Amino acid sequence: MNLLFVADPLDTFKPYKDSTFAMMREAVKRGHRILFCEPRHLHWQRGGRVSAPLREIALTGSLDDWYTTVSEGVVTALADVDAVLMRKDPPFDSEFFYATHLLEQAEREGARVFNKPSALRDHPEKLAILEFPQFIGPTLVTRSESDIRRFHAEHGDIILKPLDGMGGMGIFRVGPDGLNLGSISETLNRGGAQTVMVQRYLPEIVKGDKRVLVIGGKPVPHSLARIPQGSEIRGNLAAGGKGVAQPLSARDFEIAESLGPILAARGLLLVGLDVIGDSLTEINVTSPTCFQEITQQSGFDVAAMFVDALEAALRVSAA
C-alpha cells in the first residue's frame, strides 16, 4: 500500500524515540511504500482535488541518516494514495486547523485519513475530558479570576494550565498558601481574554503521568508513566520526566475500555489518554507518542498493533 505521512519536516525527527518513525519502520517491514509531505504542502484549486508534491522515502536501517529520498515533487491527489496519516505535532494552531479542513475535503474526494480530520477538530486535547466527568478529578474551565480563586479556596492545592499548551508548557501549581495565584491567573487568562483549565492537584503525580495508548478502540496493555524529576511537578518527557513502562492498572483498563470504542467510532484510530492516579486528565489525538519507549521496556510491539489496526480499517473502508 501507499501510505502518506503528513508531518513535521523529516529532518526534525528523532528516530530513536519518534512514534511516527516507528510506524514507518513497521509499515516498511510489511512491504508498504512510504510517502511524505508537510501540512504546508497541501493545496486545492477549483476543478481539482486536494493534492501535494510528495516525497517517497526509503529507510536506511540507521538512526543517524535514517532515510533516503527515492523521488520527490510528484504532485499527487491525496485520494489516490491508500491512506493518509496526519501526524503533525501540536500545537493545534490556526494552520493545523486549516489543514484539517483541507484533509476533510480530501476525504470527500475519496481519501482515507487517520485520525479523521473532523475528529481532530472536535476533540481539543484538554477539553475533550469534559465529556467523561465520571473519570476526571475536580476540574474548572473559565476565564474568570474570581472563579479560579473560589476553586482554590475549595480545593487548596491546584494546577492551572492553558488550553493550548503542550509538553507541560505553561503549567503552574498553587498550594494552600495561594502564593502568586493572582499573578499566575493574570498571566494565563490575560485579564479575562483567555480560557484556563484548573484542576485539583493530584498527589499521585509523583508516581507518574501515565500515557495510555488506545489503538482501534483497544488499549495497549502497557502505559508509559512519565515521572517528574527533582522539584518538577510535570511528568512530561519534554519537561524532563522519566518514562517508565508499566502494565495498565484495573482503573486504566476501565477508562480505556470505556472511551476506546466511543472514540474509535468517531474516526480516532489512535488516542493517547493521560491518567494520573485514577483520574483522566487529557485525551491526546493530534499525534500521540510513546510507542518506542513502551516497546523497548515492555516488549509489546505498539507499532505492529497500530499497523494491524490501520490495515484492518482500510479493509473495512474498501469493503
Side-chain angles (χ1 to χ4, degrees):
M1 292 190 298
N2 295 322
L3 305 182
L4 170 60
F5 289 82
V6 182
D8 291 303
L10 291 171
D11 291 338
T12 67
F13 279 41
K14 297 180 174 65
Y16 67 93
K17 69 172 185 177
D18 196 292
S19 293
T20 304
F21 171 76
M23 295 174 183
M24 291 177 173
R25 184 172 55 191
E26 179 62 27
V28 167
K29 283 182 186 177
R30 303 183 187 204
H32 301 315
R33 182 173 173 232
I34 303 300
L35 305 171
F36 173 83
C37 74
E38 298 172 36
R40 66 188 177 92
H41 295 137
L42 301 174
H43 67 264
W44 179 88
Q45 184 172 338
R46 192 180 71 170
R49 297 180 291 171
V50 176
S51 302
L54 303 187
R55 173 186 288 189
E56 180 182 356
I57 65 171
L59 304 188
T60 65
S62 169
L63 294 182
D64 295 321
D65 297 323
W66 62 274
Y67 73 93
T68 59
T69 298
V70 177
S71 65
E72 61 182 325
V74 180
V75 177
T76 305
L78 271 59
D80 289 342
V81 303
D82 294 293
V84 179
L85 292 92
M86 178 53 159
R87 290 290 298 171
K88 172 70 177 70
D89 284 343
F92 191 108
D93 57 12
S94 295
E95 288 302 324
F96 190 106
F97 181 78
Y98 303 147
T100 67
H101 279 289
L102 285 170
L103 291 171
E104 190 169 19
Q105 174 61 24
E107 282 187 319
R108 288 190 283 268
E109 297 163 0
R112 287 151 293 189
V113 184
F114 306 90
N115 284 328
K116 190 174 178 65
S118 60
L120 290 175
R121 292 198 304 273
D122 289 345
H123 295 81
E125 301 193 334
K126 292 180 174 61
L127 291 177
I129 66 172
L130 306 189
E131 184 180 353
F132 307 102
Q134 68 273 32
F135 296 124
I136 70 176
T139 298
L140 167 70
V141 179
T142 186
R143 290 190 188 186
S144 167
E145 184 177 346
S146 61
D147 284 351
I148 294 171
R149 290 189 177 279
R150 281 194 293 270
F151 190 87
H152 177 261
E154 178 180 359
H155 296 288
D157 200 349
I158 64 172
I159 294 290
L160 302 93
K161 52 188 176 182
L163 296 182
D164 60 354
M166 64 173 188
M169 181 183 67
I171 293 178
F172 293 89
R173 178 185 178 185
V174 177
D177 59 7
L179 188 64
N180 285 329
L181 177 58
S183 177
I184 291 168
S185 297
E186 291 166 8
T187 298
L188 291 180
N189 83 345
R190 298 181 184 175
Q194 187 161 301
T195 304
V196 178
M197 176 170 278
V198 192
Q199 294 173 308
R200 185 180 68 190
Y201 173 72
L202 299 171
E204 297 91 342
I205 184 61
V206 298
K207 296 181 180 178
D209 179 354
K210 295 174 286 186
R211 168 59 55 84
V212 178
L213 294 171
V214 181
I215 298 173
K218 299 178 181 178
V220 171
H222 292 79
S223 70
L224 190 75
R226 297 157 298 171
I227 301 171
Q229 300 297 293
S231 60
E232 267 289 353
I233 61 166
R234 301 171 298 172
N236 309 75
L237 299 183
K242 179 183 179 182
V244 178
Q246 57 187 230
L248 298 193
S249 69
R251 177 64 166 179
D252 296 337
F253 270 114
E254 179 187 5
I255 295 171
E257 290 175 341
S258 295
L259 273 60
I262 296 170
L263 299 175
R266 297 172 183 172
L268 293 168
L269 182 70
L270 172 62
V271 174
L273 306 177
D274 288 350
V275 179
I276 298 176
D278 288 339
S279 298
L280 176 69
T281 61
E282 290 189 18
I283 299 175
N284 296 272
V285 300
T286 51
S287 63
T289 187
C290 299
F291 279 37
Q292 295 207 58
E293 295 90 344
I294 291 173
T295 297
Q296 289 162 5
Q297 295 184 40
S298 73
F300 183 86
D301 196 332
V302 182
M305 180 177 175
F306 175 79
V307 179
D308 282 344
L310 175 64
E311 291 172 340
L314 291 172
R315 285 194 296 270
V316 168
S317 66

